[in-house]
Amino acid sequence: MNPTEKALWFVESHLPDAISLDDVAQSSGVSRFHVTRAFGAATGRSVMGYMRARRLSEAARKLAGGAPDILAVALEAGYNSHEAFTRAFRDQFGTTPELVRAQGSTKTLDLVEPILMDQSLLANLEPPRFETTRPFLVAGLGERYSCETSAAIPMQWQRFGPYIGNIPGETGDVAYGVCANGDDAGNFDYIAGVEVSDFSDLPNEFSFVRIPAQKYAVFAHREHISTIRRTVNTIWNKWLPASGHEIADAPNFERYGPEFDPRSGNGGLEIWIPVKG
């Protein structure tokens, strides 16, 4: 089992229990950061967001079945009060526990069912090369995403395209998609940018990040850009657990060289993953 499969098993096996991200990571045999990234790459959801949605979905089924005590259902779903449970329930489903119980049905609710793992990992991931970067600066358009909202990244690149070639201090002919400042909920900052010589005179709407000197495992993605998630999923859920390498606390990024054609999505790119040692 890979880290995401172990995490799914653990969450589903301990759904009524008060488990933390540390518990999930320990059961998966990897760090909190690793399981967060691996789970997001494989499922498009955050670990804890998935667990919360699953608990609320099971609570909805109990309410539709006529559960007499809403507070008891709330406590079993991990909420300490009727009010907190109602807020979370409304956020998830757009209705209240009382209405679901009164209607006796979940047909109008978008329930989250247990995820069946997509086994479509790459059979033959090209072995990475290892490089230690020099420190460099990246500036461009930045957004904060969750696992669930990251599908909007291509639109971010579309907005950034007209800036390329007209950015103060821009150097080289390479673009970078930098992921940084990830948290336990699966949220992260993503900057579509280019290397710059300094951060002065940048447009007000720009974000920027410093890439430190760091050892990286560098993977080639030679297929169309639309299939990148499969490669990323394979890296986090197959290659890393088997490699003996540990993730380092540094940004990871995509590197788009001059061979990449942003109009067609062809030409290939590189995926740089920071590792210790």
Side-chain angles (χ1 to χ4, degrees), residues 15-54:
L15 211 53
D17 303 335
I19 60 175
S20 67
L21 185 60
D22 283 328
D23 298 324
V24 178
Q26 186 175 6
S27 76
S28 302
V30 295
S31 69
R32 291 158 60 103
F33 178 73
H34 189 157
V35 77
T36 299
R37 291 288 291 146
F39 197 93
T43 69
R45 290 180 173 272
S46 67
V47 180
M48 303 311 283
Y50 171 74
M51 183 171 68
R52 181 171 57 254
R54 286 286 299 121

Side-chain angles (χ1 to χ4, degrees), residues 22 39 85-86 104 153 174 183-184 196 210 214 239 252 268:
D22 283 328
F39 197 93
F85 176 63
T86 298
I153 287 176
V174 172
D183 63 21
D184 292 346
V196 294
R210 298 176 186 272
Q214 169 66 47
W239 183 84
N252 58 279

Side-chain angles (χ1 to χ4, degrees), residues 192-246:
V194 295
E195 183 177 353
V196 294
S197 56
D198 60 65
F199 292 147
S200 62
D201 300 323
L202 292 173
N204 291 333
E205 63 270 26
F206 267 29
S207 299
F208 45 85
V209 62
R210 298 176 186 272
I211 308 295
Q214 169 66 47
K215 181 180 178 182
Y216 280 86
V218 183
F219 298 84
H221 176 83
R222 303 188 189 280
E223 298 179 5
H224 190 270
I225 183 64
S226 63
T227 64
I228 189 173
R229 181 169 164 178
R230 193 172 178 218
T231 301
V232 172
N233 186 14
T234 305
I235 293 168
W236 286 94
N237 280 297
K238 183 179 179 181
W239 183 84
L240 265 171
S243 71
H245 289 283
E246 245 186 287

Side-chain angles (χ1 to χ4, degrees), residues 44-269:
R45 290 180 173 272
S46 67
V47 180
M48 303 311 283
Y50 171 74
M51 183 171 68
R52 181 171 57 254
R54 286 286 299 121
R55 284 174 170 170
L56 288 168
S57 294
E58 294 306 313
R61 285 195 171 94
K62 291 173 185 172
L63 293 166
D69 187 349
I70 291 180
L71 181 58
V73 174
L75 292 171
E76 191 170 344
Y79 295 88
N80 294 324
S81 70
H82 187 296
E83 293 75 19
F85 176 63
T86 298
R87 282 196 301 273
F89 197 92
R90 187 184 290 111
D91 288 344
Q92 184 72 31
F93 300 119
T95 188
T96 64
E98 287 80 5
L99 278 173
V100 171
R101 185 174 64 177
Q103 291 167 352
S105 172
T106 61
K107 287 184 179 178
T108 61
L109 306 183
D110 187 14
L111 299 181
V112 175
E113 304 295 348
I115 290 175
L116 298 176
M117 271 292 291
D118 179 2
Q119 298 296 330
S120 62
L121 299 174
L122 296 174
N124 296 301
L125 180 70
E126 192 174 319
R129 71 179 191 274
F130 291 89
E131 286 198 23
T132 298
T133 61
R134 57 176 174 77
F136 64 100
L137 312 177
V138 172
L141 293 182
E143 296 285 349
R144 189 149 182 87
Y145 292 103
S146 66
C147 296
E148 292 81 3
T149 62
S150 61
I153 287 176
M155 291 181 64
Q156 183 179 344
W157 276 105
Q158 207 171 39
R159 295 196 308 274
F160 178 62
Y163 289 94
I164 296 177
N166 303 294
I167 299 168
E170 182 176 347
T171 63
D173 54 1
V174 172
Y176 296 89
V178 182
C179 295
N181 303 320
D183 63 21
D184 292 346
N187 304 307
F188 61 94
D189 292 332
Y190 184 90
I191 295 179
V194 295
E195 183 177 353
V196 294
S197 56
D198 60 65
F199 292 147
S200 62
D201 300 323
L202 292 173
N204 291 333
E205 63 270 26
F206 267 29
S207 299
F208 45 85
V209 62
R210 298 176 186 272
I211 308 295
Q214 169 66 47
K215 181 180 178 182
Y216 280 86
V218 183
F219 298 84
H221 176 83
R222 303 188 189 280
E223 298 179 5
H224 190 270
I225 183 64
S226 63
T227 64
I228 189 173
R229 181 169 164 178
R230 193 172 178 218
T231 301
V232 172
N233 186 14
T234 305
I235 293 168
W236 286 94
N237 280 297
K238 183 179 179 181
W239 183 84
L240 265 171
S243 71
H245 289 283
E246 245 186 287
I247 289 298
D249 184 13
N252 58 279
F253 56 86
E254 303 131 27
R255 182 185 184 278
Y256 299 88
E259 66 280 358
F260 178 74
D261 181 358
R263 291 182 299 278
S264 69
N266 293 315
L269 59 117

